[in-house]
Amino acid sequence: ITYDGYGCDSALSGTYTLGGPTANFPTVRYMKERFYRCGFGGPVTININPGTYTGFDFDDQYPGLDSNNTITFQAAPGVNRSAVIIANNGNNPPVKFTEMAYVTIRNVTIRNTNVGRCVEFVGKYSHDITIDNCDIQGVTSTATPYYNSTAIGRISTAAPFTSGGSGDRDMHFTNNTISGVNFGLYFTGTTNNAYKEDNFEVNGNTINCTVTGINAIQAKRWTINGNRINQMATAADMDFKGVALQNCTDFASISANKIHMNQRGGTGIATTTYAGSNASAPNMMMANNEIIGKVTVTARYNINLQNTKQVNLYHNSSYMYSPTDITQSAPLYITGSSSSTNNINVYNNIFYNASTSAENKNYAIYLNYTTANALATTIKLDYNEYYSVGTSLGWFVAPRNN
């Protein structure tokens, strides 16, 4: 007979301290044991004392955890986030969520000294997770796959989503500083609409990365607003993108972001196969973004919309420049057939191409459509300002100089 005795005077509720002999929870291991054994009877705040901590991996086995009984981890009052470090333990990421919910991590440093994820999501799905005002630090890599170096993400979905559950949902990644990674955020769902990465708020972050700032694959109902995305220097071109959407639907907005690509250039905002879930769904607002791109290879486009429907492109400033002659570039590029690319409204934007091209393909706007008639009925262009240092202002099925 084995007897495991553990006594709790009550379920956890209220404010506790973590770290050190005088804290309520001297160690992370002791804290997690209390979570398992005692459960939650109300919302819990864990104030973390200065120090370096490992073992922040959590699952859904804590009794009583729900939308009312939540967990918040944060630096103790008066403690700077740089003094509280959640670190990797060998190859294990600093923070790992396995089918977890109702957790906030705020005002700490999350640091991975290996190539890997800093905050990783695994299992069927997680929901109601907030990462706010954290300093997230990783290590870049030139080895493929590039997404092995990611600040916050879910990389694989094959096993989790085919065995039940839904996609990750109701996530909030706000006001963080992210640096030293290939990808800032990388999340991938599945083709089944019920299992897409759903209802994410990605706002107010500063992301310094080498490959992509925010990458969403098979996702729906996101807002991506007020972020600052900076391209880090690399020894070779890594096809940089500020914000990349692939097979996504029903996004609310990508607005008020500043995307600066002053190293090797790239694409500021890229959509591949985007549409509303139905014809009456509201258009995604893509507005008030500032995109600056250095052109170092041909066929660079600051805004690149491929097979994209239901987008309002309003009040954006898109500027390109080049240190040497480049064959082709454009601050705005839209391509696809009339069936796959339509209902796009382009109003009150500035498209400025200061890159040079001996072939006069340094366009301010490039609309790559099959016929002029299809173009006229699917994309509306009003009150925009176009400028190019070349002789062809744009390409609308064929070159245009006015």
Side-chain angles (χ1 to χ4, degrees):
I1 297 174
T2 300
Y3 173 72
D4 182 8
Y6 194 100
C8 296
D9 56 1
S10 64
L12 297 171
S13 180
T15 300
Y16 301 85
T17 54
L18 168 65
T22 62
N24 300 115
F25 307 132
T27 65
V28 173
R29 181 176 180 179
Y30 180 81
M31 176 189 70
K32 290 164 64 178
E33 182 78 4
R34 290 288 301 275
F35 287 178
Y36 279 116
R37 301 285 191 168
C38 303
F40 293 83
V44 167
T45 297
I46 309 293
N47 289 328
I48 309 174
N49 292 322
T52 299
Y53 301 84
T54 61
F56 267 68
D57 55 316
F58 303 101
D59 57 34
D60 66 349
Q61 303 303 310
Y62 308 127
L65 190 65
D66 59 27
S67 58
N68 293 314
N69 303 340
T70 61
I71 311 173
T72 298
F73 299 97
Q74 62 186 22
V79 175
N80 191 280
R81 70 182 185 182
S82 63
V84 177
I85 301 170
I86 302 174
N88 59 297
N89 183 9
N91 291 324
N92 296 315
V95 177
K96 185 176 181 180
F97 294 111
T98 304
E99 303 170 23
M100 190 60 182
Y102 309 118
V103 174
T104 294
I105 300 178
R106 172 181 294 124
N107 197 34
V108 300
T109 295
I110 301 171
R111 179 182 298 160
N112 195 339
T113 57
N114 292 332
V115 174
R117 265 73 72 192
C118 300
V119 179
E120 182 172 31
F121 292 84
V122 299
K124 293 180 182 178
Y125 71 101
S126 291
H127 63 91
D128 293 280
I129 303 292
T130 297
I131 309 293
D132 177 62
N133 196 38
C134 291
D135 186 0
I136 304 175
Q137 305 168 5
V139 176
T140 62
S141 174
T142 57
T144 56
Y146 292 149
Y147 57 64
N148 281 338
S149 168
T150 295
I152 305 173
R154 173 185 287 277
I155 304 305
S156 175
T157 63
F161 293 132
T162 56
S163 59
S166 65
D168 298 310
R169 60 178 172 81
D170 302 327
M171 302 290 202
H172 309 275
F173 306 124
T174 53
N175 306 309
N176 301 290
T177 300
I178 295 171
S179 59
V181 290
N182 290 357
F183 284 83
L185 276 74
Y186 185 109
F187 280 88
T188 179
T190 71
T191 56
N192 188 323
N193 190 58
Y195 302 150
K196 292 185 184 295
E197 302 292 276
D198 183 16
N199 194 30
F200 281 39
E201 177 190 16
V202 186
N203 294 348
N205 303 283
T206 297
I207 303 173
N208 304 296
C209 60
T210 61
V211 178
T212 299
I214 300 166
N215 192 81
I217 304 172
Q218 301 291 355
K220 64 181 180 181
R221 301 196 309 158
W222 287 34
T223 61
I224 303 174
N225 295 341
N227 301 283
R228 174 71 181 259
I229 301 173
N230 301 310
Q231 182 183 37
M232 293 173 59
T234 55
D237 185 79
M238 299 181 77
D239 192 22
F240 183 88
K241 295 178 178 65
V243 177
L245 277 54
Q246 182 177 341
N247 296 307
C248 295
T249 186
D250 289 341
F251 274 45
S253 65
I254 301 175
S255 296
N257 301 286
K258 292 185 177 182
I259 303 171
H260 292 181
M261 303 171 290
N262 292 314
Q263 299 298 327
R264 292 182 173 273
T267 303
I269 300 174
T271 63
T272 304
T273 313
Y274 173 87
S277 55
N278 57 69
S280 61
N283 283 16
M284 173 174 61
M285 185 64 68
M286 194 178 293
N288 295 298
N289 297 288
E290 175 187 288
I291 304 173
I292 299 174
K294 179 180 180 179
V295 187
T296 58
V297 299
T298 191
R300 287 292 200 211
Y301 311 111
N302 274 2
I303 302 172
N304 187 338
L305 309 182
Q306 299 187 35
N307 300 314
T308 293
K309 303 178 183 180
Q310 293 166 274
V311 171
N312 291 335
L313 196 66
Y314 295 168
H315 303 289
N316 299 281
S317 296
S318 180
Y319 172 76
M320 310 184 80
Y321 67 98
S322 65
T324 59
D325 186 85
I326 299 295
T327 301
Q328 183 171 295
S329 61
L332 173 63
Y333 176 78
I334 303 176
T335 186
S337 66
S338 58
S339 60
S340 66
T341 303
N342 58 59
N343 193 1
I344 298 176
N345 301 309
V346 184
Y347 299 160
N348 295 296
N349 301 278
I350 299 172
F351 302 118
Y352 191 123
N353 195 341
S355 63
T356 58
S357 170
E359 298 184 28
N360 291 315
K361 294 182 178 180
N362 46 347
Y363 308 121
I365 180 172
Y366 186 169
L367 305 184
N368 188 27
Y369 256 57
T370 52
T371 66
N373 289 337
L375 172 64
T377 59
T378 55
I379 298 178
K380 295 180 180 179
L381 305 164
D382 285 318
Y383 310 113
N384 302 290
E385 294 187 19
Y386 306 98
Y387 180 83
S388 171
V389 298
T391 59
S392 294
L393 190 61
W395 178 286
F396 288 37
V397 184
R400 296 288 187 271
N401 59 15
N402 55 38

